[in-house]
Amino acid sequence: MNLLFITHANLTRRPYGDGSTRYRCFNIADVALAHGHNAEVVELNRLRLRDLSRFDMISWLRPMPGKKALNVINTASTLNIPCVADVDDLIFDPDLAAESPAVCNGFASLPTIEKQFSAHADFLRLFNAITVSTNDLQGHAKRCFPKIPNATVHNGLSEHWLEYAQQLLDSRPASGKLGYLPGTRSHDQDFLSIRQPVTDWLKAMPDASLDIVGKIDISRYKGLSTRIRQHPWMDYYRLPAAMSQYCATLSPLTQSSFNRAKSHIKFIESAAVGVPVIASPNDDLTAHSCPGLLFPETMTQWCQALMEVSQAELRTSVSLSLRQYVRDHCTASHYATPLIQAWEAKQLIPQHQSIFPLSNAA
């Protein structure tokens, strides 16, 4: 098969820097290559319509409407090339726009996001099938697009990155040094949700510190700025070396429809280098059960978890089991192989969910 993965990300600036493109395009393309197929990742604005005839299947990440996008989907339809929309965030239900991180964090108005979500939904209805990154997200897709076949393909780590990460493991984490790697400012409210337990923890542990990688507002952590160190955006290949210095990483999430649909990426990346994780529970995370993955739900439980992981001994005791768990259960090959096999059998989505032959595509 010749597979095309389309992204809207700018690949010329940071070819591997966009997390969604990395997990939903490059990593799945790698699995296809390992199965003997051809696979290309192309950004939409560099895609030539005349090249579409070379492909047997198109997987399009977060497809957004526009003149070029409509030309591509119409040309693919004329050529009888099945198009699968791949969605890794809850960006297609205008009824939930008020819960969008962009609205909650004050980065965009509610009418603006409602309009964007409606446009996304209208465009998604032109596709033959939909793949999503979490089971919760699949539930929303079924509700919003009941006539379009859909399936969950969880985010998984590439073998290449796992091998690279293995070379950078630091067996001597700094005691009491934790990391939070949100990446974007859309997590301001998430970080604020654990302000009290983090403040209490820092006050109780004079030698403890917290590293934040990304632009997060810490202005409400008054008097603790010297203990909370902010770092700029970090290249993906620098993450293993950075995370391996921590006793644990944090992944707080406020309770919302959007966060319930979030992927387990923060867990699998940290676990890959043997670093424990304190995470707010959602379905994609609680599907995992292994030593070193903690799910506090109350502020008291967060305080207890912070005290527990700030001792380097915990990481030492669970590091190997975390790394092995990820290798056994959380690779891109583990999650994406059923999808590639379905495409080999000329089906839109994996058999273990629902079989929709290409000839019956919407």
Side-chain angles (χ1 to χ4, degrees):
M1 289 188 299
N2 293 312
L3 305 176
L4 174 63
F5 293 85
I6 299 176
T7 177
H8 291 261
N10 185 342
L11 300 183
T12 58
R13 186 176 58 180
R14 295 191 184 115
Y16 213 55
D18 178 68
S20 291
T21 302
R22 179 169 60 246
Y23 281 97
R24 309 306 297 174
C25 296
F26 285 112
N27 286 8
I28 298 177
D30 284 347
V31 176
L33 291 170
H35 281 252
H37 304 294
N38 298 315
E40 296 181 33
V41 180
V42 179
E43 60 180 286
L44 178 65
N45 63 13
R46 291 179 174 269
L47 179 63
R48 299 180 300 186
L49 292 179
R50 64 177 180 269
D51 291 337
L52 289 178
S53 60
R54 295 192 291 109
F55 298 100
D56 302 303
M57 175 74 71
I58 296 174
S59 177
W60 193 330
L61 173 63
R62 294 192 181 198
M64 295 184 290
K67 183 177 180 181
K68 176 70 175 286
L70 285 171
N71 286 337
V72 170
I73 199 79
N74 288 334
T75 301
S77 178
T78 300
L79 295 171
N80 292 315
I81 303 171
C83 291
V84 177
D86 187 59
V87 186
D88 64 348
D89 211 354
L90 189 50
I91 55 174
F92 50 77
D93 187 349
D95 291 339
L96 297 176
E99 295 184 54
S100 163
V103 174
C104 291
N105 288 287
F107 301 145
S109 68
L110 177 57
T112 296
I113 299 302
E114 287 176 334
K115 183 178 180 180
Q116 288 180 2
F117 285 9
S118 292
H120 275 294
D122 289 342
F123 196 49
L124 285 174
R125 293 187 178 94
L126 301 179
F127 284 77
N128 303 110
I130 298 172
T131 52
V132 296
S133 56
T134 70
N135 291 332
D136 190 272
L137 198 54
Q138 186 186 13
H140 289 286
K142 287 181 177 180
R143 177 174 51 80
C144 293
F145 313 106
K147 296 183 179 180
I148 304 178
N150 56 74
T152 298
V153 180
H154 295 279
N155 287 318
L157 297 167
S158 72
E159 292 291 338
H160 175 65
W161 191 79
L162 282 170
E163 293 171 3
Y164 179 78
Q166 186 67 29
Q167 302 171 15
L168 300 175
L169 297 182
D170 187 343
S171 60
R172 300 175 302 279
S175 180
K177 185 177 183 181
L178 306 185
Y180 178 41
L181 300 90
T184 67
R185 287 200 65 183
S186 64
H187 294 280
D188 277 357
Q189 292 300 316
D190 295 327
F191 186 51
L192 186 60
S193 72
I194 58 168
R195 177 179 59 175
Q196 195 57 53
V198 168
T199 299
D200 292 345
W201 169 71
L202 288 172
K203 290 179 178 179
M205 302 275 294
D207 296 326
S209 63
L210 173 62
D211 278 3
I212 297 178
V213 179
K215 294 182 178 180
I216 290 290
D217 182 7
I218 65 169
S219 61
R220 298 194 190 185
Y221 286 79
K222 295 180 179 179
L224 298 170
S225 58
T226 59
R227 312 274 300 284
I228 301 178
R229 305 181 182 95
Q230 285 191 282
H231 304 271
W233 179 90
M234 185 176 295
D235 183 88
Y236 187 61
Y237 279 94
R238 292 178 57 200
L239 288 182
M243 288 191 296
S244 67
Q245 301 173 26
Y246 304 136
C247 289
T249 61
L250 310 182
S251 183
L253 293 172
T254 57
Q255 286 299 309
S256 70
S257 298
F258 281 78
N259 285 340
R260 284 190 289 274
K262 287 288 185 183
S263 171
H264 58 194
I265 287 177
K266 291 292 186 289
F267 161 64
I268 63 176
E269 289 179 348
S270 188
V273 291
V275 177
V277 181
I278 310 177
S280 300
N282 69 8
D283 287 349
D284 210 49
L285 283 164
T286 56
H288 302 289
S289 178
C290 61
L293 176 57
L294 290 72
F295 293 123
E297 297 189 57
T298 66
M299 294 300 101
T300 298
Q301 291 173 348
W302 266 97
C303 288
Q304 293 170 343
L306 287 166
M307 295 300 293
E308 181 179 351
V309 302
S310 58
Q311 305 303 317
E313 290 78 10
L314 173 67
R315 174 181 152 175
T316 301
S317 67
V318 302
S319 181
L320 181 60
S321 60
L322 281 169
R323 299 202 308 270
Q324 191 61 51
Y325 180 88
V326 168
R327 278 208 163 274
D328 290 345
H329 303 287
C330 306
T331 65
S333 178
H334 177 82
Y335 292 125
T337 291
L339 178 68
I340 301 304
Q341 291 174 337
W343 291 349
E344 289 172 341
K346 299 189 181 302
Q347 296 161 352
L348 286 168
I349 58 175
Q351 294 186 27
H352 67 269
Q353 304 207 28
S354 299
I355 301 175
F356 292 87
L358 299 183
S359 59
N360 292 343

